[in-house]
Amino acid sequence: MSRIPLIIDTDTAQDDCVALLVGLLDPAADLRAITMVAGNVGFERQVLNAHLTLSAAGRLGEVPIHLGCRRPLVREWVSAEYVHGDGAGGLSMDYAGLDTHPQHGVDALIEYAAAAPGEITIVCIGPLTNIAMAAIKDPDFVGNVKALYIMGGSNNARGNITAAAEYNFYVDPEAAKTVFEAGFAITVVPWAPLVLRDAVFDDAQLERIARVDTPLASFFSRITGTTLGFNESVGIAGSTHPDSLTAALLVHPELVRSSADYAIAIETSSELTRGYAAMSWGVHGLEANATVVESIDATAFADYLTGLLSTPTVQSRPFIGGH
Ligand SMILES: [Ca+2]
């Protein structure tokens, strides 16, 4: 079986961790590196969450973590800590001796892509700052990357951080605009309606995972548990899995039921609709620049993640903390 080479560009909290598990544990995935971008929770916290996830997968120290941009291109960083807490459900471990890679995340993206032109796909599950910076810094970057799988925006549907905008594009709209105008081959996994309809795990599904008697399933239950109260407060009945879905669709495109080409543009000048992704579906005379996933096999996706979490692993280091 040929494995799919990928890099995950992440603001590691909650479902980002699950997306990392897809890259780390799916036999069809060849996760070459993790690059960190400012997003969900504090930057250093995100790095710890990545280490925790590598440990949960029994792969601590095996995949390099490169630190990327610590704030958006133009704007002040906007936290989502009110949603995610620390992003790891209060888990901790002994971090002694754990290092991140000395090379900057933007340079790492450029180098990995240049070393294997046309082969590497980047799964982008945070604000697009690092990707925009790489495209600005190296004119060959766009051509060297095989594809971007981007979690962001909504397809003519509601946002999350505002009525108009989804968090990743809202935090760094200038970066998102740069990326969508750069000429990458892009697949988009939008927040709504796709994730809200097809990638929410309700109580029954979460209980099914909790019954999977593996350390990974316990890790999953712990890190997703913290957002359930917040989700309920905003009318979402369960845990949301936008980031793990994005990684899963790269590795298992058969999960996609329908997708279509769109012309996507990002709003950067309005405060009211900051970060809004206008997704034009082909009737406005605009040139398409992305494929948008419109529906997936939700049952197969839930089965896939449940199966992944059934993987027997031995944690690299034991977790400290717990209920
Ligand atoms: Ca994320």
Side-chain angles (χ1 to χ4, degrees):
M1 181 172 57
S2 69
R3 298 162 74 215
I4 296 172
L6 70 145
I7 294 171
I8 298 183
D9 187 68
T10 171
D11 53 343
T12 319
Q14 254 93 36
D15 195 46
D16 290 82
C17 301
V18 188
L20 291 181
L21 292 178
V22 171
L24 290 164
L25 296 169
D26 190 310
D30 175 12
L31 179 61
R32 302 277 174 91
I34 296 164
T35 52
M36 194 62 61
V37 67
N40 284 321
V41 297
F43 197 85
E44 303 306 329
R45 181 67 242 175
Q46 293 178 172
V47 175
L48 296 181
N49 293 347
H51 283 311
L52 284 169
T53 307
L54 285 162
S55 182
R59 301 277 305 277
L60 194 62
E62 292 180 26
V63 178
I65 302 170
H66 296 263
L67 306 188
C69 297
R70 291 168 181 267
R71 68 161 180 80
L73 294 183
V74 179
R75 320 260 180 161
E76 303 247 332
W77 171 62
V78 180
S79 159
E81 280 160 325
Y82 67 100
V83 179
H84 300 286
D86 67 4
L91 286 177
S92 185
M93 67 180 186
D94 177 6
Y95 298 106
L98 293 176
D99 285 324
T100 54
H101 197 284
Q103 186 182 38
H104 193 274
V106 171
D107 294 320
L109 288 167
I110 289 170
E111 268 196 24
Y112 277 104
E119 291 181 19
I120 306 263
T121 298
I122 306 169
V123 176
C124 311
I125 53 177
L128 289 166
T129 319
N130 287 340
I131 311 301
M133 284 291 286
I136 291 166
K137 186 170 184 182
D138 177 10
D140 294 328
F141 180 66
V142 174
N144 285 339
V145 169
K146 180 179 184 187
L148 303 178
Y149 269 58
I150 295 175
M151 190 284 127
S154 283
N155 184 359
N156 297 287
R158 64 176 57 191
N160 51 23
I161 191 163
T162 67
E166 173 280 332
Y167 176 82
N168 289 341
F169 292 175
Y170 176 88
V171 169
D172 199 342
E174 285 77 16
K177 177 180 165 69
T178 302
V179 168
F180 279 97
E181 291 177 356
F184 289 104
I186 294 175
T187 294
V188 172
V189 174
W191 173 253
L194 179 73
V195 167
L196 284 181
R197 187 194 57 222
D198 291 346
V200 178
F201 287 1
D202 64 8
D203 285 347
Q205 175 59 27
L206 293 172
E207 280 166 24
R208 180 179 169 218
I209 291 173
R211 282 195 300 273
V212 174
D213 189 20
T214 61
L216 276 181
S218 304
F219 178 71
F220 174 92
S221 298
R222 185 65 190 270
I223 60 170
T224 54
T226 28
T227 48
L228 292 174
F230 172 83
N231 286 355
E232 191 178 348
S233 78
V234 296
I236 300 170
S239 63
T240 55
H241 297 282
D243 297 342
S244 51
L245 176 62
T246 306
L249 294 183
L250 167 64
V251 185
H252 296 285
E254 69 277 10
L255 292 171
V256 175
R257 279 210 170 136
S258 62
S259 63
D261 290 342
Y262 283 73
I264 297 181
I266 308 296
E267 176 61 58
T268 56
S269 56
S270 161
E271 280 309 306
L272 181 64
T273 58
R274 164 183 169 175
Y276 173 71
M279 298 196 182
S280 174
W281 54 91
V283 300
H284 305 113
L286 302 170
E287 191 178 341
N289 59 357
T291 299
V292 177
V293 178
E294 295 181 327
S295 65
I296 62 151
D297 184 336
T299 303
F301 172 60
D303 288 348
Y304 166 75
L305 272 194
T306 307
L308 191 79
L309 296 168
S310 307
T311 310
T313 53
V314 177
Q315 275 174 233
S316 304
R317 293 186 185 183
F319 293 139
I320 305 164
H323 295 293

